[in-house]
Amino acid sequence: MPAIVLRQVTKRFAGGPPAVRDLDLTIPDASFTTLLGPSGCGKTTTLRMIAGLELPTDGEIDIGERNVFSLAQGRSLAPAKRGLGLVFQSYALWPHLSVRQNIAFGLEVQKVNRAETKRRVEAVAESLQIDAYLERYTSELSGGQQQRVAIARVLVMRPDVLLLDEPLSNLDAKLRMDMRAELKRLHAETGATVIYVTHDQLEALTMSTHIALMRDGVLQQFAPPLELYAQPANRFAADFLGNPRINLLEGVVEAGAIVSHGLRVQVGGDGVLAARPGERLTIGLRAEELRLEREGGSGRAAVRILSVLPTGADWYYRVGLGDAVLTVRDDRHPDLREGEQVWLVAAPNPLKVFDEAGRSRTALSGRDAPAAAAQAPGPAPIERRESEREEARA
Amino acid sequence: MITAVRRFRLQLTPQRLFAALFLLVLGYLVVVPLGVMLQETFTVHPLERFQIPGAMTGDFTTAHWERTFVGPHSYAFFYRPLINTLIIALSLSLLALVIGGGLAWLVVRTNLPFKGLISNAAIIPYVMPSWTLALAWLTLFKNQRIGGQPGIFQAVTGIATPDWFAYGLFPITITLALHYFPFGFMLIGGAIRNIDAQLEESAELLGASRATILRRVVFPLVLPAIFSTFLLTFSKGLGTFGTPAFLGGPVREFVLSTSLYANLIGQRPGIGYIAAVVMIAMGVLVLYMDHRIIGARRSFVTISGKGARAGLVDLGRWRTPLAVLVLGFLFSVIAVPIGALAVDTVMLRPGIYNLQNFSLHYWIGEASLAIGLGTGEPGILRNSQLMGALGNTMRLAVVVALVCGVLGMLIGYTVVRLRGTLVSRLLDQLSFLPYLMPSIALGSIFLALFAIARGPIPSLYGTFWLLVIACTVSYLPYAVKAGVNAMMQIGPELEEAAIMSGASWFTRMRRVLFPLQKATYFSGMLLPFISVTRELSLLILLVTPANQLATTITLRYTDRGWYPYTNGMVLMLVIIVITSTIVSRRLMKTDLAKGLGG
């Protein structure tokens, strides 16, 4: 299945900043690539440009060996000729047609003969377990069933590339978990290249082989999910991924360590960092990279426990360090109470350090990532907090 | 430069092509006519060169404007008709408002019985040609002033009706108000229905009385709909032609529309065109007031409704008398006029109402100079002239409904798909423009525009297609409104999903967009169909003896005093219109209120 290459793709809508700016992206063959970012970051626009529903203002797009859009050559292949299928966020099922007619529509338009159409519709319906509802109208189906019909309508065309625009956002949390597994299975079975748009970082982390993180129309980082999690290219990427949010702590470089309110994080010997003594840097510490000790010691900082947040599986603590509030995951002290004073130890793995512009000093990939100082460590996008809440309920 | 050309080529989507096409066509059919009409007011016409010393046909002149506004006859030409028009429009609007609003309140907010029947019947007066009531009025109340036999009233009671009652401003106002009150019924009824019951309940909890709630809560909330109704009927009153022609003619009482017509077909076309300009200016003024008073609300008020709601006012012992009153009123504005017209067609000698006089002569009789009126015309059903005119009307109605339906759908599609762009706004407003032009003025414009060949466009005067174009432009606001509404209901992704499947634009229209909003599109076609069937003022200037329509030929029979023929024709039109409304409501689930909107 084909790789998809975007070269210098820009999209400008009338009277606004560019929705997508100079996007260079190679989506690997047979990958499950997620376009991730807060709303308005240009991820859906990018998807629609690949689909051919939106005309880029500039740039080129290749799907496999074929160039499907090139401004310089004045070429824009019709959406249906690009060999891809798109599942819409709202599903876009035609309410005046039955499930069978919805799924068969594309085959009829392509003048596939009747017997073949029937066979293919029924096969795809069976594989998605909606064969019992073929004669119903879509309004008679539940959200999850409608979702399957939307996917079936696309899969019946046997696309090389499957585009999914926030397909799970209209489902409840439990159904969402099931559909994630289902989509992963579909990806494995069809071998299609999947491009998946979401603002939900957990969805992106659990399903993708690659994530393209976007913000304000600019690509922030393109990497496999765990690399993106472990080595965010800038402060925005660090902040956007992970639940609970990463702790971002400002400190000063002192003799091979970054020190903040008495907490020392060793950085010495790491050639990538190239820190100068006295430089102010931000260090990113995920909750699982922090732990609490009852005894003080070298590099440990005294903190007060502000709240204890057990989730059942894990114990989270909110602790105050100077004027900063950090989230710590530590399962070894179920008896700790609010108000107690304990000692905080940081053991980042790997080290995540950002300069004043917000660029990572430590990430291996995405060294040329855009600066992100303006945002971090601002409040998380609202949508993401909502998704966090839903996860908590699930 | 080359990139710009390539980008342009890439962006040639169907909606952009349509936008360009429609802007061009509407520009020619809507904007150019306005210019042509203004130009005509400064031009010497063939008959006018004798009235203006030393002028040649086609010369530039300001004489028309001078004669209209400051000449010795300007009172008769202009000011008197203007004052009459304003009096009629104002009083008919108030009357229609009171009747329609009162009826709406009774039906929506009280426990009046027979609501279903009443709300269905209350729309019928609007569906009938506006001058049906005028003809019925004449049939019932005419006196001997215009010659021939007196009306039914005098024949039965022996009392001669006074002129002011039989003809002129009084009956014009009454019959028009009875035609337009359904506007108030639908618009105000919709507004009352949309009031959240909690607003009234909160007032009630605070201890307000029924009357206080009505005055302080309901009335202010309905006020925009009341203004809307008022301005709508007012602007209709400004432009209406048939009723003042039938009822004002016998006493030579003119309004702007009838004076425009008389001047235009008479010897003073220049003055006629000035009357048209004045009427359009007043239309614009009304719309401006509408915007100022109602603010962001368009005069198109969407009519939406939920079912019955709690908290109906109990009419108590007034319930039955009120029901009788309302039903009696509707009966007398629907059944009585139709009945009067029907009776008149089967009375051999006019003015004598008894069984011996019964005859089907005017329906199926042979041509004769001796029987009855001695017109020398065969009965309506075997009269090739009348039946031909009726056939023309039906043909025109069907063609215009189809053209309007398709245009409304395509323009609606273009406007919605390009929403937020200048082109979309321009197209929306251009297609709304004919709404402001009184139809008699619009007719005169098309006469001016197509009387001679202009550039590549041939003279269409005297052809069927000129009638089609005039009607299409005139009803375009309604058709486009329906088309835009329909498209707004359909999310763009429903079309995009079809694009992704490889469906061509035509397939998308045929298999997705049209089926999804069938009822709205059919409603958008029903209104032009009905309107053409009863259209008189728009077409009166454009028809020629070769392409007479049922309505225009009716006027000629009236001029000769051959009322049984006129009434028979009107009766058939009424039956056609009411039947098609009911049938399409059953078959296509059309809703006239949807297409009407104003």
Side-chain angles (χ1 to χ4, degrees):
Chain A
M1 296 293 131
I4 294 159
V5 183
L6 288 82
R7 280 187 297 276
Q8 289 292 302
V9 171
T10 295
K11 176 68 187 180
R12 226 173 266 115
F13 291 107
V20 174
R21 214 179 312 172
D22 299 329
L23 181 60
D24 278 309
L25 183 62
T26 300
I27 294 169
D29 180 16
S31 68
F32 192 121
T33 296
T34 298
L35 303 178
L36 177 69
S39 64
C41 74
K43 54 191 191 297
T44 295
T45 304
T46 304
L47 189 80
R48 288 170 59 84
M49 288 192 292
I50 296 171
L53 291 174
E54 210 77 71
L55 208 61
T57 313
D58 204 354
E60 300 195 350
I61 301 174
D62 293 350
I63 297 179
E65 302 296 300
R66 269 194 312 172
N67 174 252
V68 297
F69 175 83
S70 165
L71 184 73
Q73 296 178 46
R75 175 186 301 124
S76 180
L77 218 58
K81 299 214 169 102
R82 297 185 180 194
L84 33 77
L86 170 58
V87 177
F88 290 84
Q89 183 172 8
S90 64
Y91 314 147
L93 298 174
W94 298 301
H96 62 299
L97 301 180
S98 68
V99 169
R100 180 189 292 280
Q101 289 168 320
N102 262 285
I103 301 175
F105 185 90
L107 296 174
E108 284 169 16
V109 168
Q110 310 287 353
K111 305 250 187 325
V112 175
N113 74 49
R114 209 168 278 190
E116 168 80 358
T117 300
K118 185 167 153 51
R119 199 182 57 70
R120 277 168 69 174
V121 168
E122 281 166 11
V124 77
E126 197 180 342
S127 89
L128 283 162
Q129 295 155 33
I130 46 170
D131 43 341
Y133 315 120
L134 278 175
E135 311 312 325
R136 291 205 195 164
Y137 282 90
T138 54
S139 56
E140 300 171 90
L141 303 182
S142 71
Q145 290 162 343
Q146 291 186 10
Q147 169 87 77
R148 285 160 189 272
V149 176
I151 295 171
R153 184 173 68 182
V154 165
L155 286 186
V156 79
M157 305 304 290
R158 297 180 181 151
D160 300 329
V161 182
L162 194 55
L163 309 177
L164 300 159
D165 185 7
E166 308 221 14
L168 306 186
S169 60
N170 292 331
L171 301 180
D172 63 53
K174 189 172 166 349
L175 207 52
R176 217 183 268 202
M177 299 283 271
D178 297 344
M179 279 312 288
R180 271 186 216 157
E182 179 94 15
L183 288 175
K184 254 189 146 155
R185 173 181 76 85
L186 277 175
H187 175 234
E189 274 179 17
T190 58
T193 307
V194 174
I195 306 180
Y196 188 94
V197 164
T198 185
H199 59 259
D200 184 335
Q201 46 103 17
L202 194 67
E203 234 168 71
L205 288 172
T206 51
M207 297 170 71
S208 329
T209 62
H210 296 76
I211 295 177
L213 180 67
M214 297 180 71
R215 178 190 173 210
D216 296 340
V218 178
L219 181 67
Q220 305 289 310
Q221 190 172 4
F222 181 69
L226 293 184
E227 185 186 327
L228 191 65
Y229 184 76
Q231 303 189 323
N234 58 25
R235 224 150 67 172
F236 170 76
D239 192 50
F240 196 79
L241 273 92
N243 183 23
R245 283 169 68 185
I246 196 168
N247 300 297
L248 290 165
L249 205 55
E250 272 201 30
V252 180
V253 179
E254 258 175 43
I258 299 177
V259 181
S260 174
H261 302 288
L263 183 72
R264 287 180 72 89
V265 179
Q266 291 298 328
V267 297
D270 200 341
V272 205
L273 184 54
R276 295 182 306 277
E279 196 181 359
R280 294 195 70 82
L281 291 172
T282 301
I283 183 157
L285 295 162
R286 300 217 180 263
E288 65 269 22
E289 295 170 332
L290 294 169
R291 63 176 202 274
L292 301 176
E293 296 292 348
R294 291 179 189 275
E295 314 285 320
S298 151
R300 299 181 179 184
V303 293
R304 186 166 301 281
I305 296 179
L306 303 173
S307 51
V308 183
L309 306 158
T311 65
D314 293 308
W315 293 82
Y316 287 97
Y317 301 91
R318 302 279 284 167
V319 300
L321 173 68
D323 54 357
V325 177
L326 307 181
T327 307
V328 181
R329 196 188 89 189
D330 192 332
D331 306 337
R332 299 167 306 147
H333 314 285
D335 54 333
L336 282 178
R337 292 288 170 266
E338 283 167 22
E340 275 186 65
Q341 184 178 310
V342 287
W343 298 87
L344 184 67
V345 183
N349 178 34
L351 191 62
K352 295 171 280 294
V353 175
F354 307 96
D355 62 18
E356 276 180 42
R359 284 193 198 85
S360 175
R361 287 277 183 89
T362 45
L364 294 173
S365 68
R367 297 299 300 265
D368 54 349
Q375 172 106 358
I382 290 162
E383 325 179 79
R384 183 171 155 244
R385 288 211 212 113
E386 269 167 10
S387 67
E388 276 172 12
R389 273 203 298 277
E390 275 173 48
E391 293 307 329
R393 262 186 265 125
Chain B
M1 183 59 209
I2 291 167
T3 3
V5 170
R6 280 179 183 147
R7 185 172 304 165
F8 176 76
R9 228 184 52 207
L10 287 178
Q11 289 174 341
L12 278 183
T13 51
Q15 54 264 41
R16 290 209 167 87
L17 287 174
F18 279 132
L21 180 73
F22 289 139
L23 281 180
L24 206 68
V25 173
L26 285 185
Y28 187 74
L29 290 179
V30 177
V31 180
V32 172
L34 277 175
V36 169
M37 194 168 58
L38 270 177
Q39 185 197 337
E40 294 288 343
T41 67
F42 291 106
T43 306
V44 178
H45 298 89
L47 285 170
E48 289 162 347
R49 69 199 144 98
F50 306 113
Q51 305 157 19
I52 304 163
M56 298 296 288
T57 301
D59 279 359
F60 175 87
T61 177
T62 55
H64 306 316
W65 287 91
E66 289 158 19
R67 291 171 64 196
T68 304
F69 289 103
V70 294
H73 302 295
S74 62
Y75 182 73
F77 282 159
F78 181 69
Y79 292 110
R80 173 100 200 230
L82 177 68
I83 292 166
N84 282 344
T85 305
L86 290 175
I87 291 173
I88 290 170
L90 198 67
S91 39
L92 102 84
S93 305
L94 288 174
L95 203 55
L97 202 60
V98 171
I99 301 174
L103 215 51
W105 183 76
L106 281 175
V107 166
V108 180
R109 296 306 320 275
T110 71
N111 62 346
L112 194 76
F114 306 116
K115 279 184 189 175
L117 177 68
I118 292 171
S119 31
N120 280 324
I123 303 178
I124 293 181
Y126 173 68
V127 176
M128 295 196 293
S130 64
W131 32 271
T132 313
L133 285 169
L135 283 176
W137 188 280
L138 284 180
T139 309
L140 283 168
F141 298 121
K142 70 175 178 240
N143 58 26
Q144 270 145 328
R145 180 190 169 97
I146 50 172
Q149 294 301 314
I152 295 175
F153 179 79
Q154 194 176 340
V156 172
T157 63
I159 304 167
T161 49
D163 278 357
W164 67 265
F165 185 84
Y167 316 104
L169 300 193
F170 176 75
I172 292 175
T173 305
I174 299 289
T175 53
L176 283 177
L178 293 182
H179 174 68
Y180 285 118
F181 83 83
F183 275 168
F185 178 70
M186 287 190 276
L187 295 178
I188 298 174
I192 299 178
R193 211 169 277 129
N194 283 343
I195 297 176
D196 189 344
Q198 292 175 4
L199 298 177
E200 287 167 76
E201 282 159 8
S202 339
E204 207 171 344
L205 286 174
L206 292 171
S209 69
R210 276 263 163 239
T212 311
I213 295 173
L214 206 59
R215 188 168 53 86
R216 298 276 305 270
V217 179
V218 177
F219 186 70
L221 287 171
V222 180
L223 207 58
I226 292 179
F227 274 122
S228 244
T229 308
F230 182 83
L231 293 173
L232 194 62
T233 45
F234 188 80
S235 68
K236 292 282 175 189
L238 292 180
T240 188
F241 171 76
T243 302
F246 285 120
L247 289 172
V251 285
R252 306 212 38 84
E253 198 68 82
F254 287 102
V255 296
L256 277 183
S257 60
T258 47
S259 120
L260 183 160
Y261 176 70
N263 284 321
L264 217 52
I265 61 163
Q267 302 178 348
R268 296 176 287 267
I271 292 177
Y273 284 117
I274 290 175
V277 170
V278 171
M279 287 168 82
I280 290 173
M282 290 201 298
V284 173
L285 197 69
V286 168
L287 190 79
Y288 173 74
M289 278 162 54
D290 189 56
H291 269 285
R292 282 300 297 271
I293 297 172
I294 302 173
R297 277 170 186 258
R298 290 281 294 270
S299 58
F300 283 128
V301 175
T302 30
I303 300 155
S304 58
K306 301 179 202 105
R309 32 166 293 168
L312 293 183
V313 175
D314 186 3
L315 293 172
R317 62 201 165 86
W318 290 98
R319 192 163 175 259
T320 314
L322 273 172
V324 170
L325 190 73
V326 168
L327 288 172
F329 166 75
L330 290 175
F331 180 80
S332 60
V333 299
I334 300 167
V336 169
I338 293 178
L341 294 181
V343 165
D344 211 46
T345 61
V346 292
M347 290 296 138
L348 188 57
R349 270 160 298 144
I352 300 165
Y353 298 95
N354 58 43
L355 270 181
Q356 283 81 46
N357 196 25
F358 177 87
S359 158
L360 291 176
H361 173 73
Y362 298 114
W363 286 101
I364 52 173
E366 301 266 352
S368 159
L369 290 170
I371 305 172
L373 285 167
T375 57
E377 294 272 338
I380 296 170
L381 295 177
R382 55 200 299 174
N383 187 321
S384 59
Q385 247 195 339
L386 289 173
M387 284 295 120
L390 195 63
N392 278 344
T393 293
M394 288 297 99
R395 202 152 59 97
L396 184 65
V398 169
V399 171
V400 169
L402 287 176
V403 172
C404 272
V406 172
L407 270 184
M409 188 165 129
L410 295 183
I411 295 180
Y413 175 82
T414 310
V415 166
V416 173
R417 281 289 175 267
L418 296 178
R419 215 143 78 98
T421 64
L422 184 70
V423 172
S424 165
R425 271 202 303 281
L426 199 61
L427 205 54
D428 199 19
Q429 280 165 10
L430 263 186
S431 56
F432 180 73
L433 212 53
Y435 181 82
L436 296 176
M437 305 183 194
S439 44
I440 183 94
L442 200 61
S444 68
I445 293 177
F446 279 95
L447 182 65
L449 193 63
F450 289 103
I452 51 167
R454 283 171 202 269
I457 294 140
S459 159
L460 290 173
Y461 182 64
T463 66
F464 179 71
W465 294 106
L466 178 56
L467 305 184
V468 172
I469 292 174
C471 289
T472 303
V473 171
S474 175
Y475 309 134
L476 204 57
Y478 305 109
V480 169
K481 177 73 182 159
V484 168
N485 274 349
M487 275 306 296
M488 299 276 259
Q489 310 282 324
I490 306 175
E493 69 277 3
L494 286 181
E495 190 189 356
E496 286 169 355
I499 295 180
M500 296 302 299
S501 301
S504 67
W505 180 84
F506 189 72
T507 308
R508 292 186 322 253
M509 278 292 174
R510 187 172 56 87
R511 295 212 37 198
V512 178
L513 298 181
F514 181 73
L516 275 174
Q517 284 292 317
K518 247 189 316 207
T520 314
Y521 288 126
F522 278 122
S523 304
M525 289 164 82
L526 178 64
L527 200 71
F529 179 86
I530 292 174
S531 306
V532 170
T533 310
R534 62 186 190 194
E535 184 64 70
L536 178 62
S537 41
L538 174 68
L539 300 174
I540 188 78
L541 292 168
L542 300 177
V543 292
T544 52
N547 58 14
Q548 283 287 357
L549 298 169
T551 49
T552 53
I553 205 163
T554 299
L555 197 64
R556 300 206 329 191
Y557 277 70
T558 310
D559 288 344
R560 292 176 210 157
W562 296 348
Y563 285 99
Y565 293 94
T566 311
N567 294 348
M569 288 297 280
V570 172
L571 211 55
M572 285 202 288
L573 290 179
V574 168
I575 290 168
I576 289 169
V577 163
I578 294 180
T579 317
S580 52
T581 308
I582 293 170
V583 167
S584 71
R585 193 170 186 164
R586 285 279 150 76
L587 288 185
M588 327 268 201
K589 305 205 178 350
T590 52
D591 181 358
L592 201 58
K594 257 189 202 162
L596 170 75

